[in-house]
Every structure is written in structure tokens, then in C-alpha cells.
Amino acid sequence: MPSEVFSCEYPFDELTINLCDRWETGLLLYGRAELTSAGDDYDGEFYVSAIRLDGGARLARPHPLGNADGFEAELFRRIAAVIENDRTPAGGHAAELFAIEYEQSKETDYDLFREIERETILEPVA
């Protein structure tokens, strides 16, 4: 049975992207990325499902089969490539945050289940 999809928000600031085969520091990006679990077969791994820049622009993950060759799609791909790569500073931070949040969500679910189970046992039979 597939588990529930988990996601969390990763705030980024002064994010640099790879442009013209180098890390471009003249373009610094600020915003939040939605990190979503990659699925049951990829325990603890994530992908960027959406990005919201601090100015309000929302970038959706381009569909791989669609015609996603516009500026927004390319910007999404470049930002996601940095955040999904754990060898970059931002990617390392995102991976660490996702791991912590993912584990806490599993503990919370377990604790909630135990609490409900305990309350059920302690309920008086009417």
C-alpha cells in the first residue's frame, strides 16, 4: 500500500544558479521551494514540486512531456537543479531539512496513532 505523500517548505535566499557553465552571482534568488517525497521506492528522497519567489511569482514544475521551453520553465529547472543537488550548499541544506521534517512527520504520525489507540482503550464502554 503506498504511503502518504509528504512535502515541506524550504526557504532559500541568495540562491545562485548555473548560467553559461558557471555559478552566476549577479543573479540572486529569494523564495520558497516545496520539497515533495519522491515515493516509496526512494525513501527519504525528494524533488522540488513548486517554487514561489519572494516577489510573488509562482513557478510550477514543468511537465516532462509538455512543451515547457519558456523562461519560467527554464528558471524552475535551474533553481530545482541547485536545490535537488546535495553537493551544492543550498541542496545540502534542503536535504538536511527534508530529512529532519520527514522523520518528524513519521514520529508525529506514530505518536498520534498511539494516542488514538490509547484513548480508544481507555474509553468506557457505554
Side-chain angles (χ1 to χ4, degrees), residues 32-52:
R32 298 182 175 285
E34 185 74 21
L35 309 180
T36 303
S37 59
D40 290 335
D41 295 336
Y42 303 95
D43 190 38
E45 293 186 33
F46 68 89
Y47 65 93
V48 176
S49 57
I51 296 169
R52 181 172 299 280

Side-chain angles (χ1 to χ4, degrees), residues 4-5 12 14 17 21 27 29 38 52 68 70 72 79-80 89 91 102-103 112-113 118 124:
E4 206 171 295
V5 174
F12 59 87
E14 297 189 3
I17 58 174
D21 295 323
L27 176 66
L29 299 162
R52 181 172 299 280
E72 289 86 358
I79 294 171
Y102 184 67
E103 286 305 312
L112 180 62
F113 175 74
R118 191 171 71 209

Side-chain angles (χ1 to χ4, degrees), residues 48-108:
V48 176
S49 57
I51 296 169
R52 181 172 299 280
L53 299 177
D54 279 356
R58 187 179 186 321
L59 306 173
R61 186 171 193 84
H63 192 281
L65 300 177
N67 186 11
D69 58 355
F71 175 76
E72 289 86 358
E74 185 61 27
L75 183 58
F76 180 96
R77 283 192 282 272
R78 290 184 184 259
I79 294 171
V82 174
I83 294 171
E84 292 170 350
N85 181 351
D86 63 2
R87 293 178 300 211
T88 66
H93 292 140
E96 185 178 334
L97 173 86
F98 185 81
I100 291 168
E101 295 281 332
Y102 184 67
E103 286 305 312
Q104 285 179 349
S105 78
K106 288 166 52 174
E107 290 172 8
T108 301

